[in-house]
Amino acid sequence: MVLCDVCGRALPSEAAAGRHPPRPSLCCRQPRCPLCAAAVGCEELRRHMDTAHLEPGSRRPGAPAQCPFCGEAAGRELEEHVRARHGDLLGALGTDSGNGEQLYECPMCSLTCTNIQILEEHVDLHLEEHNFSEGGDMGDLELAQQLQTEEDERQRSEEEKREREEFEKLQRQYGLDNSGGFKQQFLKNMEREVDRGRMQPFEYHKRKADMMESLASGIDDGRTKTSGVIEALCKYYQSENKDVRRVWLSAGVDHFHSSLGDRGWGCGYRNFQMLLSSLLQNSFYNDCLRDTTLIPSIPKIQSMIEDAWREGFDPQGASHFNNRLHGSKAWIGACEIYSLLTSLRIKCQIIDFHKPTGPMGTHPRLFEWILHYYSADNEGGAKVVCTSKPPIYLQHQGHSRTVVGIEEKKNRSLCLLLFDPGCSSQQMQKLLKQNSDGAGLRLLRKFVGSLKEKQYQIVAVDGVLSLEEKAARCRASQVLTSEKIP
């Protein structure tokens, strides 16, 4: 019996007669072409590859890549398979050249190499060529698709993150982030004042007790109120005669400014307090306000707006706030003021100045409308006209103020007089001690060139509603609440 000197298996009888290849064979198994998997003899392998595969790396379409040593299907892992399973066979392919020099024949193309390292590198080239023909182009396509998919997912993830951050920023900006309301902010800011040494502990506890009492009663504590400014303005204009031709002032109004509990978000509520303070001084509105004889606190105003929503006013606006204001730092605007006033049977309207009507983004028609509002029933020739008209709620993006009068200069230009919740009591007190040059009026005066927001809305009060009119306006508010000035 003759054994294969490579694999140790018994060879058939013809191998003993010399028909077995004289050199070490791949093994007694019949070798297969590594390109097309055709079964060929050891001596015929090169001739087969030369005739059947004119182009290097070509093989029968659809044929699985097979190991040239054992014939096992290896696919794209052929290189790893050869190295792991048949690395020792590469070194067994050597023959004697006859002069004592060892030669090594490539099992894939029968090229003779004089060095085992050269043979390994040569076989590596075959394997790399095979991997490329096996599907290198498809691999590039798949890789490109995978990279594109990953890039799309990354961009989508970043976009979702950016949208989430923007949404959370807007929630914080408009007080809809569930971070608490007036009470929580008031206590937090007082604690900060104590930590910074600006407030003594005993004052902290006293103001906390006052705040809790105000919240329980629903009545504003009056700490931010300044009264008597309209009366002081009337006296000032009686003697001032430099450049003012005429001036119209609203009925008496108390100024309210933001406090530690609503700083940064409470301007709409403070302007409502100013407007209400004027209505409470006018007996014409006593019947409407018989249940509201004192200025409500901000949390109470929030509850009053929620009550108006429950009556059916402005369902679209209510849904924007999830039907809840109390306990939040949510901003309010003209629509909420309109709904609240109308629910109290106070006749009012929203006028929308939705685009500039003058050069450089100005709104001269806004000024003209306000002039007509104050002067319509006061056509006398008096220089100073103290009207019975309530003040006007003025809203623009991010802030609101209260219009308490309007000046007409000798050159016919107009100037609004505004109460701003951002002005402190100390600043407003200066207007009560008005000097002859009127320097303190800079706090109030706003000329046409000073109001350049893209859009303004006003809420103007104009009488009392009957119950039927209130019901009709409630139904109308579910469709449209504002009139636009072209």
Side-chain angles (χ1 to χ4, degrees):
M1 177 184 295
V2 180
L3 300 179
C4 176
D5 55 1
V6 177
C7 66
R9 294 186 179 186
L11 297 174
S13 58
E14 58 270 23
R19 286 190 290 273
H20 192 358
R23 60 178 176 81
S25 66
L26 297 178
C27 78
C28 56
R29 298 176 184 177
Q30 189 173 25
R32 292 179 180 272
C33 173
L35 302 178
C36 67
V40 294
C42 294
E43 298 296 334
E44 290 79 15
L45 178 59
R46 181 173 182 177
R47 185 167 58 256
H48 165 79
M49 295 178 66
D50 289 341
T51 58
H53 306 289
L54 297 178
E55 296 182 6
S58 64
R59 63 185 177 88
R60 187 172 67 243
Q66 292 182 317
C67 175
F69 292 93
C70 63
E72 180 178 339
R76 296 181 183 176
E77 291 76 25
L78 179 60
E79 180 177 357
E80 297 178 4
H81 171 84
V82 170
R83 291 186 178 282
R85 298 279 296 276
H86 309 292
D88 56 332
L89 296 183
L90 292 174
L93 297 177
T95 61
D96 194 337
S97 63
N99 57 4
E101 182 181 3
Q102 189 78 4
L103 299 177
Y104 301 87
E105 186 172 343
C106 173
M108 304 181 78
C109 68
S110 299
L111 177 70
T112 301
C113 302
T114 60
N115 186 291
I116 185 62
Q117 287 79 17
I118 296 176
L119 175 62
E120 290 180 352
E121 293 176 0
H122 175 75
V123 171
D124 284 343
L125 294 175
H126 281 294
L127 296 174
E128 291 175 2
E129 184 180 68
H130 158 75
N131 287 338
F132 181 79
S133 64
E134 173 68 20
D137 292 339
M138 180 60 70
D140 289 344
L141 176 60
E142 291 176 354
L143 178 60
Q145 291 174 339
Q146 179 182 353
L147 292 175
Q148 184 62 47
T149 300
E150 293 175 354
E151 177 65 16
D152 292 343
E153 292 178 353
R154 184 187 66 81
Q155 291 183 359
R156 183 164 55 253
S157 176
E158 291 181 354
E159 182 66 22
E160 291 175 353
K161 179 181 178 182
R162 185 162 52 251
E163 289 178 356
R164 184 169 59 254
E165 291 175 348
E166 287 295 325
F167 180 69
E168 292 172 353
K169 180 180 177 180
L170 287 173
Q171 283 186 314
R172 290 192 299 271
Q173 179 179 348
Y174 291 100
L176 301 174
D177 57 350
N178 297 318
S179 62
F182 182 92
K183 175 183 175 181
Q184 289 79 4
Q185 179 172 318
F186 191 91
L187 294 175
K188 183 177 180 180
N189 284 335
M190 283 206 305
E191 290 170 1
R192 186 179 291 116
E193 293 294 295
V194 172
D195 292 340
R196 294 174 178 175
R198 298 174 182 172
M199 181 183 295
Q200 296 298 319
F202 75 88
E203 184 182 358
Y204 167 85
H205 291 291
K206 182 180 185 303
R207 294 191 63 177
K208 179 180 178 181
D210 293 341
M211 184 266 295
M212 297 300 292
E213 181 180 350
S214 174
L215 295 180
S217 65
I219 305 302
D220 187 82
D221 59 14
R223 284 181 174 270
T224 70
K225 181 175 76 172
T226 302
S227 300
V229 176
I230 296 297
E231 293 76 9
L233 291 176
C234 185
K235 293 178 181 179
Y236 167 76
Y237 283 113
Q238 296 287 355
S239 58
E240 199 278 338
N241 56 9
K242 290 183 180 179
D243 60 346
V244 176
R245 177 174 178 269
R246 297 188 71 183
V247 60
W248 291 264
L249 299 174
S250 72
V253 186
D254 295 331
H255 177 270
F256 290 82
H257 68 80
S258 300
S259 70
L260 293 175
D262 62 286
R263 188 172 298 158
W265 58 272
C267 59
Y269 304 96
R270 295 301 184 181
N271 284 304
F272 174 76
Q273 289 179 329
M274 296 187 207
L275 177 53
L276 186 61
S277 72
S278 182
L279 298 178
L280 288 173
Q281 298 177 43
N282 191 332
S283 60
F284 184 71
Y285 298 96
N286 286 351
D287 185 56
C288 300
L289 302 174
R290 61 178 181 271
D291 296 327
T292 310
T293 57
L294 297 173
I295 300 297
S297 64
I298 287 181
K300 178 62 175 178
I301 296 173
Q302 292 177 323
S303 297
M304 293 168 68
I305 295 174
E306 291 176 358
D307 291 339
W309 289 340
R310 280 189 285 270
E311 287 187 51
F313 288 95
D314 191 19
Q316 185 176 358
S319 65
H320 171 75
F321 295 99
N322 293 321
N323 298 284
R324 186 181 68 87
L325 285 175
H326 192 270
S328 74
K329 294 192 286 286
W331 296 16
I332 61 171
C335 290
E336 288 70 48
I337 299 299
Y338 173 88
S339 296
L340 177 52
L341 290 172
T342 308
S343 71
L344 297 173
R345 292 181 42 234
I346 295 173
K347 184 179 180 181
C348 59
Q349 59 180 325
I350 298 180
I351 308 298
D352 185 4
F353 298 86
H354 63 286
K355 63 180 181 180
T357 53
M360 301 180 66
T362 56
H363 292 263
R365 298 195 68 174
L366 168 65
F367 284 70
E368 293 166 5
W369 195 97
I370 293 174
L371 175 62
H372 180 266
Y373 171 82
Y374 281 115
S375 65
D377 300 327
N378 301 278
E379 294 294 344
K383 176 184 177 181
V384 182
V385 182
C386 296
T387 74
S388 59
K389 292 279 191 176
I392 298 172
Y393 179 94
L394 174 65
Q395 176 78 51
H396 61 80
Q397 178 64 35
H399 194 40
S400 60
R401 287 169 283 190
T402 297
V403 183
V404 298
I406 185 168
E407 294 178 345
E408 183 184 48
K409 302 295 187 179
K410 290 183 177 180
N411 62 3
R412 302 290 181 168
S413 64
L414 299 176
C415 177
L416 296 183
L417 301 175
L418 303 180
F419 277 4
D420 192 329
C423 292
S424 66
S425 294
Q426 291 78 8
Q427 291 173 305
M428 298 302 294
Q429 290 287 335
K430 294 178 182 178
L431 294 169
L432 301 179
K433 305 172 182 178
Q434 193 60 247
N435 53 34
S436 58
D437 62 3
L441 279 175
R442 285 197 298 265
L443 287 172
L444 308 185
R445 281 175 168 154
K446 296 296 176 184
F447 294 91
V448 173
S450 303
L451 299 184
K452 293 185 177 182
E453 296 290 334
K454 292 182 179 179
Q455 182 178 3
Y456 289 91
Q457 284 183 319
I458 62 175
V459 180
V461 173
D462 189 26
V464 175
L465 297 172
S466 66
L467 291 176
E468 292 76 12
E469 290 173 327
K470 172 185 172 181
R473 292 207 171 199
C474 180
R475 291 189 297 269
S477 75
Q478 299 172 11
V479 181
L480 182 67
T481 58
S482 65
E483 173 188 347
K484 289 187 177 180
I485 299 297

